[in-house]
Amino acid sequence: MEVNISLVPEWGQQLIKLGTASNDNLNNFFVITVSMIVFLMQCGFAFLEAGAVRSKNTTNILLKNLLDSSVAGLSYWALGYAFAFGDGTGFIGGSGFFGTFPEADLSKWFFQMVFAATAATIVSGGVAERCEFVAYLTYSIVLTAFCYPVITRWAWHSNVSDGHPSNVGWLIDGVSVIPGAAYHDFAGSGVVHVCGGVAALCGAVLLGPRIGKYDSQGRAVAIPGHSVPLAALGGFILMFGFFAFNGGSQFSISNEGDGVVVARAVVNTIISGSAAGVTTILLHRMFSATKRNCVS
């Protein structure tokens, strides 16, 4: 409920301001904490991919994962956040370059930066063992500095405090040809994962299969990873990270009902992840009885 602070005694106004400041601090602490857990997912991606590739490519894949985090930090600070959340149009922002955005946005910047790094890291697995280093560096910069921020602008920027409704992302504002239809993405299934997945698909199509993946007759040849423990540990770290990834997307914890929304997101995450794991094991057991290498 909105309170007209001018009608409250001076001592009451001080209490309201103190409560507002406390809520802001609590929300910032919540966002920073979940962002650090999401950043740990970079470790999960690194372990998963390192275990899934051949031992000769381990150093290369680890370096690319480390590069994603470093490039995302610089690119999103210099350009990405301004394109995503700066003043501008419904298509792209145009202010806040090189960290000149308000200090109140620092926790939001960190949260969105680790999301950008996650989108970039999705591609490293899709082009593993067949992408030249400089090409991967160029891709990582372009994705985290421009592609992901612009998509974020379309779907997640809803701040109209500057009095310009056109500043709202065009997807969240709604599709004009379908009255009342607007895009809604709570935790990035489209903004983060589809963005990274499409980039990975494009990279895989352009680069083609790994050398030795198919024999002279076009039949697939299994190329097993060199470390199952590394891949399994990476999977567990990613699952842990997704609890913060999805739950933290509420972006606040001090308002009424925030705790329930965060809890619901976490519960949905563990249920969907558990169902996916059981389904994969069952399908593998069903098909491996007749064709041993159908699931590799």
Side-chain angles (χ1 to χ4, degrees):
M1 182 179 64
E2 295 290 337
V3 177
N4 188 343
I5 195 171
S6 63
L7 301 179
V8 180
E10 183 176 353
W11 62 268
Q13 295 181 21
Q14 295 298 323
L15 288 178
I16 292 175
K17 292 179 181 178
L18 180 62
T20 301
S22 298
N23 287 345
D24 290 343
N25 289 335
L26 182 60
N27 290 334
N28 281 328
F29 180 75
F30 170 73
V31 171
I32 289 293
T33 301
V34 296
S35 299
M36 289 189 289
I37 298 174
V38 174
F39 186 80
L40 183 64
M41 293 177 69
Q42 298 297 318
C43 179
F45 280 115
F47 280 175
L48 176 63
E49 294 170 19
V53 301
R54 289 165 288 187
S55 58
K56 65 178 182 178
N57 293 311
T58 303
T59 301
N60 181 273
I61 200 73
L62 290 175
L63 181 59
K64 288 177 180 176
N65 275 271
L66 179 61
L67 184 69
D68 279 329
S69 302
S70 303
V71 167
L74 292 175
S75 298
Y76 204 76
W77 171 79
L79 302 174
Y81 190 83
F83 288 149
F85 298 103
D87 293 335
T89 68
F91 182 84
I92 192 170
S95 67
F97 295 103
F98 294 93
T100 57
F101 48 83
E103 286 190 349
D105 288 357
L106 287 173
S107 61
K108 182 178 181 180
W109 175 87
F110 185 45
F111 185 82
Q112 290 295 334
M113 187 280 292
V114 295
F115 269 39
T118 300
T121 307
I122 292 172
V123 184
S124 63
V127 299
E129 300 188 300
R130 58 194 187 281
C131 184
E132 203 272 337
F133 183 80
V134 175
Y136 189 84
L137 173 63
T138 303
Y139 136 79
S140 188
I141 293 173
V142 172
L143 187 71
T144 55
F146 183 76
C147 295
Y148 171 79
V150 171
I151 294 172
T152 304
R153 177 73 173 202
W154 298 348
W156 281 344
H157 183 69
S158 58
N159 182 16
V160 292
S161 59
D162 57 3
H164 298 290
S166 61
N167 204 22
V168 177
W170 69 271
L171 281 178
I172 199 172
D173 193 33
V175 183
S176 59
V177 295
I178 307 176
Y183 181 79
H184 181 74
D185 186 348
F186 178 74
S189 60
V191 176
V192 180
H193 304 297
V194 171
C195 174
V198 170
L201 176 61
C202 293
V205 170
L206 291 173
L207 293 173
R210 290 176 287 180
I211 296 175
K213 178 60 181 176
Y214 296 95
D215 61 20
S216 58
Q217 298 182 3
R219 293 174 298 191
V221 177
I223 305 179
H226 82 284
S227 176
V228 173
L230 272 181
L233 179 59
F236 277 115
I237 294 175
L238 288 174
M239 190 67 180
F240 172 72
F242 269 116
F243 296 144
F245 193 107
N246 295 338
S249 293
Q250 176 66 7
F251 218 74
S252 66
I253 198 64
S254 63
N255 300 320
E256 183 178 358
D258 281 346
V260 174
V261 175
V262 173
R264 183 183 297 116
V266 171
V267 170
N268 287 343
T269 301
I270 187 62
I271 290 175
S272 59
S274 301
V278 172
T279 301
T280 301
I281 292 297
L282 292 177
L283 289 174
H284 183 272
R285 294 294 296 176
M286 290 170 56
F287 286 101
S288 63
T290 56
K291 191 174 182 178
R292 189 65 65 175
N293 291 325
C294 67
V295 180
S296 60

